[in-house]
Amino acid sequence: MKKLYFRNKMRLLLLALVMTLGGQQIWAEVIRGQYKLCSYVIDTETGKMTVSGSGKVLDGFSQTGGQGVAYRSIVKEVVVEEGITEIANWAFADFEELESVQLPNSLTKICQSAFVRCVKLTRVNIPQGVKIIDASAFHSCSALSAINFPEGLTEIGSAAFYGDEELKEIFIPSTIIHLGANAFKNSGVSKIVAYPSFLRAGTDDFYSTLPAAGGKICILNGTGSAPTTMTSNLPSTWTVENASVLTGSAGPQATYKLYPVAGLLVISGTGTMNASFPSTEDIVNNKTKVSKVVVEEGMASIGYSSFADMINLTEVSLPSTLKSIYRECFMNDSLLTSIVIPDGVTLIEHRVFRNCRSLTDVSIPGSVKSFGQRNFAGCSSLKSITLPEGVETIDMGNFEECSSLK
């Protein structure tokens, strides 16, 4: 993969070795280290840490006495590269300056206390392949305000998001089978959007320890009332309701489900979406209510402004079957901060993310062969982008008005 960074000056990495500490080579600007099954590089100027390897990595890295303790106040951004399947226990615990994390499509599990007490971490985009978020994984991440739970996730462990006061709304996928005790205790969660499986997936201590301030649970595709075994354990300040749904055609073999009260738009089926989809009456009338888009497995292409101008869209889940993203697909989605583009996508056409002013980082998979024009123009918060080796030329118009790229 090629890393594309814009800097005001070229770095001279072949500097004299300053010192050696605990087996890591420390240069004037770059720290290189090995830890069990992985290697890492830390740019001390930008605070970026890149982790590469395979399998389960960084077990105990930032636990008391671990090698990572020395970097807790240095690292601001973490990029975990493809091939890594598990982020182990205490990997980034107490990384007090960590603000952003980029996770690979190969990831299947986030282990116990992996990001505990990362108090500046604000958003996390969980890849499609993750099945388990273990106990206390994001415990006391007090600034965490947005996280996606992808379809395929089966377990959220006990106290996984305990004390995450800025987390207000969550979406629980249909694949969930276990919700641990205290998973969201003392968090700021006041709205839960979920499928009927949610009503039976939680332990008694999960439901009873939802935030006492209260909130609303919106059940998608639900009928009738919630089971008393669940509602009897809910705080009296919480309500459960079945979310109404609007349905229609999204393509020759595709349909949509739109839940206005839940802010959720789901695209199902196979093949491609209609170019006329954005002008569908349901979409036009409810576009500003959509905060989450889920494109389900089977869809091969999206685009032609399908999700453009959704000014409250913050979360997107894309399927592994996706091959093409056509023009202006997410243009002007000003609250979208990050997105995982699945490996297998070969075409990203024109102006796909134009004017997504909150977008901070994007990783383009190695499968992409065609990359159009002005895809990131106007993305003023974009700090870094990873481009594949197969893309030989990049139209620099792609990065017009990307004032945060250095």
Side-chain angles (χ1 to χ4, degrees), residues 76 95-101 115 118-124 138 141-145:
K76 297 179 179 179
F95 270 43
E96 61 195 42
E97 297 297 323
L98 182 61
E99 298 173 356
S100 68
V101 175
F115 295 95
C118 291
V119 294
K120 290 189 178 181
L121 186 62
T122 58
R123 293 176 180 268
V124 179
F138 295 93
C141 293
S142 54
L144 187 65
S145 61

Side-chain angles (χ1 to χ4, degrees), residues 4 66 80 83 188 238 255 295 323:
L4 182 61
V80 182
W238 281 79
T255 59
V295 182
K323 303 299 180 186

